[in-house]
């Protein structure tokens, strides 16, 4: 039956519709052009509501090896935050490391309908997809981690040429059913295996004698030439180290004109000024982003409270394991394919470092001028749980509220940030961009993030409230593909999402090369490594994202 959402204020930046009272008409899981009243249709009264497309989280660790290690390590998390879903209960719950069921329900309860796992390791990609398929009410996709894998590093070191690299990247994307390429500390994970503890952008790593810059540029070219919509998703060098702002700026300057997405940029925006030798580099980073239209970022905002950090950057996690809270951690290799470090952490507003990290993230949000190139994330769970998004949105939209919280943090941190002097408040249009339209555009999802004809009928109604945190925490209604799944913040239905992937073509000769490599070096048949379309979503198969010409 056709459904008409009527009387709401629609914010659809992708289609140039800003704060217009108009109807959104849904039929057979899609938004359609308004045929006018009449016929058999259900009417949803959206009076007093803001109408948005479903939210899209570009970067949230929701599935895979490190997520499960986080759940294992933080068993007390599920006891503190049980699953509050009534008749739709699954098992467990959790906040910092929630179960798959809790993940889908809690995202739905905030109006999100798509979430992307940004660190899929090829060796456990099949397991990551099985987990993502178990998450209700949201569509998913995975970013494949490359840049420390031996086959790639050998191709580069041996001078095999760009076409061979392109074929390998294309083969791996298809084999793992991923939709983008992620680099974590390029060359740094491999260097750690040879006892390297630091690796800067132009520092050659051990064994392969290769710089992170060379790895980055090679993979940037591959992704661009293959037509993968989302640019390289980069977790850069020197994460969390005071002074890393210089490395980040150098990385931005090293792109050779290729598009680049810098992830959890807050963790890469630290200076060394002041008597504590720790300062904000947000203004410098924002100025550079503003001047470089081919650069996009997500922030990785710090939110105060208990969480668990989980990263393939074992070099960084090993450095931090002594400050784990509670005092336990896990470090491991994953089939010699990548690494993983899981370190619990409790961010405190009474800590100078944590308080300044919080302020740095907000500075970045507010100083980067183009909302189409900055995306709302906490790098869940590294900066804080995704459930803190409504609070973060209010911090961005409400300066008095932000200033109130600024006055609560460590006094010395307040004197090291320019946050109080920033008057900008995000508008509803900008929130719709950073949480919907912009993530859809960078991922190449033409039928997501907007409410125009042909879009997936992911429609969210928020009561227009002065308290933006309350508003975005509990939508009045959430539709997923035209089916109502949330009413007044409560789950009323569970539905299955879809998986997004890209399938660039590759030379069949790469199949032969990788067959030999898997036989000789991996001990697993390449045919077993590859994930068939029939394995995705119980035989549903992936939805293929269109490549750029």
């Amino acid at each position: 039956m056709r459904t008409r959402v009527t009387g709401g204020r629609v914010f659809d930046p992708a289609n140039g519709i800003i704060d217009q009272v108009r109807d959104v008409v849904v039929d057979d899981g899609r938004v359609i052009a308004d045929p006018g009243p009449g016929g058999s249709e259900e009417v949803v009264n959206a009076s007093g509501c803001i109408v948005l497309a479903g939210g899209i989280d570009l970067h949230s660790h929701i599935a895979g090896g490190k997520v499960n290690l986080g759940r294992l390590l933080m068993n007390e998390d599920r006891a503190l935050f049980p699953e509050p879903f009534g008749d739709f209960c699954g098992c467990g719950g959790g906040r910092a490391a929630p179960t798959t069921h809790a993940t889908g329900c809690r995202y739905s309860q905030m109006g999100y309908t798509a979430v992307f796992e940004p660190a899929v390791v090829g060796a456990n990609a099949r397991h990551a997809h099985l987990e993502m398929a178990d998450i209700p009410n949201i569509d998913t996709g995975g970013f494949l981690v490359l840049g420390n894998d031996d086959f790639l590093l050998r191709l580069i070191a041996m001078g095999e040429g760009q076409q061979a690299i392109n074929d390998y990247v294309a083969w791996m994307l298809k084999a793992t059913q991923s939709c983008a390429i992620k680099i974590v500390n390029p060359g740094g994970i491999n260097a750690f295996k040879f006892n390297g503890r630091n690796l800067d952008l132009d520092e050659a790593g051990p064994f392969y004698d290769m710089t992170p810059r060379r790895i980055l540029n090679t993979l940037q070219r591959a992704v661009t030439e293959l037509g993968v919509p989302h640019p390289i998703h980069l977790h850069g060098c020197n994460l969390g180290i005071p002074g890393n702002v210089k490395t980040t700026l150098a990385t931005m300057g090293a792109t050779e004109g290729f598009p680049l997405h810098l992830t959890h940029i807050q963790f890469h925006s630290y200076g060394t000024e002041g008597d504590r030798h720790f300062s904000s580099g947000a203004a410098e980073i924002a100025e550079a982003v503003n001047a470089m239209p081919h650069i996009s970022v997500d922030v990785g905002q710090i939110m105060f409270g208990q969480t668990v950090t989980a990263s393939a950057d074992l070099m960084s996690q090993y450095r931090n394991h002594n400050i784990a809270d509670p005092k336990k951690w896990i470090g491991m290799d994953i089939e010699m394919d990548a690494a993983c470090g899981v370190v619990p952490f409790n961010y405190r507003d009474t800590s100078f470092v944590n308080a300044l990290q919080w302020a740095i993230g907000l500075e970045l949000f507010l100083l980067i001028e183009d909302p189409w190139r900055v995306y709302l994330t906490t790098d869940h769970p590294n900066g804080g749980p995704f459930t803190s998004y409504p609070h973060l949105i209010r911090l961005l939209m409400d300066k008095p509220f932000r200033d109130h919280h600024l006055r609560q943090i460590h006094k010395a941190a307040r004197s090291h940030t320019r946050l109080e002097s920033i008057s900008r408040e995000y508008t509803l249009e900008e929130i719709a961009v950073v949480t919907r339209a912009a993530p859809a555009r960078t991922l190449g999802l033409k039928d997501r993030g907007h409410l125009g004809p042909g879009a997936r009928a992911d429609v969210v109604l928020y009561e227009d409230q002065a308290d933006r945190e309350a508003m975005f925490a509990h939508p009045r209604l959430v539709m997923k593909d035209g089916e109502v799944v949330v009413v007044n913040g409560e789950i009323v239905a569970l539905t299955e999402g879809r998986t997004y992937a890209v399938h660039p073509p590759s030379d069949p000769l790469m199949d032969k090369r990788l067959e030999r490599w898997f036989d000789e070096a991996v001990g697993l048949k390449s045919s077993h490594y590859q994930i068939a379309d029939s394995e995705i979503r119980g035989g549903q198969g992936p939805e293929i994202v269109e490549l750029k010409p």
Side-chain angles (χ1 to χ4, degrees), residues 63-65 68 71 121-133 531:
N68 277 287
R71 293 177 184 134
V121 177
N124 62 17
R126 181 173 276 104
H127 174 247
H129 279 293
L130 288 170
E131 276 201 273
M132 287 190 282
I531 303 171

Side-chain angles (χ1 to χ4, degrees), residues 319-396:
R319 186 187 310 122
N320 293 334
H321 79 275
N322 287 323
I323 57 174
D325 183 5
K327 294 291 185 183
K328 52 185 177 179
W329 79 291
I330 296 173
M332 67 174 294
D333 197 301
I334 301 176
E335 299 293 337
M336 297 300 291
D337 201 5
C340 178
V342 181
V343 181
F345 201 79
N346 193 349
Y347 293 104
R348 293 180 169 87
D349 60 5
T350 54
S351 159
F352 169 78
V353 170
N354 296 165
L356 192 52
Q357 287 177 304
W358 174 85
I360 289 168
L362 294 173
E363 287 178 326
L364 288 163
F365 270 118
L366 296 166
L367 293 174
I368 295 173
E369 297 167 355
D370 183 1
W372 288 90
R373 293 190 291 118
V374 57
Y375 312 116
L376 189 140
T377 69
T378 58
D379 185 22
H380 166 84
N382 291 293
F386 65 79
T387 49
S388 59
Y389 286 175
H391 182 72
L392 174 54
I393 288 172
R394 186 174 180 188
L395 287 170
L396 296 175

Side-chain angles (χ1 to χ4, degrees), residues 348-513:
R348 293 180 169 87
D349 60 5
T350 54
S351 159
F352 169 78
V353 170
N354 296 165
L356 192 52
Q357 287 177 304
W358 174 85
I360 289 168
L362 294 173
E363 287 178 326
L364 288 163
F365 270 118
L366 296 166
L367 293 174
I368 295 173
E369 297 167 355
D370 183 1
W372 288 90
R373 293 190 291 118
V374 57
Y375 312 116
L376 189 140
T377 69
T378 58
D379 185 22
H380 166 84
N382 291 293
F386 65 79
T387 49
S388 59
Y389 286 175
H391 182 72
L392 174 54
I393 288 172
R394 186 174 180 188
L395 287 170
L396 296 175
M397 297 189 74
D398 186 338
K399 178 171 169 55
F401 181 75
R402 186 167 69 235
D403 288 345
H404 167 76
H405 283 274
L406 178 62
R407 289 190 291 271
Q408 312 306 311
I409 68 171
H410 192 284
K411 184 176 181 180
R414 296 203 301 273
S415 66
H416 283 70
T417 174
R418 59 180 291 185
L419 188 58
E420 189 172 12
S421 69
I422 302 174
S423 60
R424 180 183 176 186
E425 294 178 320
Y426 269 52
T427 64
L428 282 170
E429 176 187 356
E430 289 173 322
I431 292 298
V433 171
V434 300
T435 62
R436 272 104 173 143
R441 186 174 75 173
T442 191
L443 290 166
L445 306 179
K446 293 180 169 45
D447 61 356
R448 304 302 307 271
H450 70 95
L451 295 171
R456 297 280 180 186
D458 294 356
V459 185
V460 187
L461 279 58
Y462 294 102
E463 296 271 3
D464 188 10
Q465 303 177 54
D467 182 345
R468 298 306 196 190
E469 182 173 355
M471 170 179 165
F472 282 98
H474 302 293
R476 181 194 288 184
L477 183 141
V478 179
M479 288 183 184
K480 178 73 188 76
D481 293 322
E483 180 179 351
V484 175
V485 295
V486 173
V487 174
N488 295 324
E490 298 296 325
I491 303 292
V492 297
L494 299 177
T495 186
E496 187 174 11
R498 63 184 52 78
T499 298
Y500 288 99
V502 294
H503 287 177
S506 62
D507 191 321
L509 289 176
M510 185 54 66
D511 290 287
K512 299 298 182 183
R513 290 193 66 170

Side-chain angles (χ1 to χ4, degrees), residues 20-69:
Q20 296 182 20
V21 177
R22 57 191 295 156
D23 292 356
V24 176
V25 184
V26 171
D27 194 13
D28 195 25
R30 298 271 184 178
V31 176
I32 63 171
D34 189 350
S40 177
E41 64 179 25
E42 179 183 357
V43 176
V44 175
N45 183 3
S47 177
C49 287
I50 304 299
V51 182
L52 303 179
I56 301 172
D57 194 342
L58 181 78
H59 184 111
S60 180
H61 298 284
I62 55 174
K66 65 185 173 301
V67 174
N68 277 287
L69 290 172

Side-chain angles (χ1 to χ4, degrees), residues 218-292:
T218 301
L219 285 173
Q220 280 184 290
R221 182 177 293 276
V223 164
T224 302
E225 291 180 358
L226 289 170
V228 177
H230 187 53
I232 285 293
H233 197 90
L234 177 67
H235 163 142
C237 309
N238 296 331
L239 176 136
I241 297 176
N244 63 12
V245 62
K246 294 181 180 178
T247 302
T248 305
L249 292 170
T251 302
M252 295 166 71
T255 59
E256 299 182 354
F258 290 112
L260 179 66
H261 179 85
L262 294 164
T263 191
H264 42 64
I265 190 71
Q266 178 276 138
F267 288 106
H268 302 269
S269 301
Y270 303 155
T272 56
E273 297 177 3
D275 55 356
R276 297 171 187 255
H277 306 292
F278 182 70
S279 61
S280 171
E284 296 168 84
I285 296 296
E287 182 180 7
V289 172
N290 291 337
M292 298 181 180

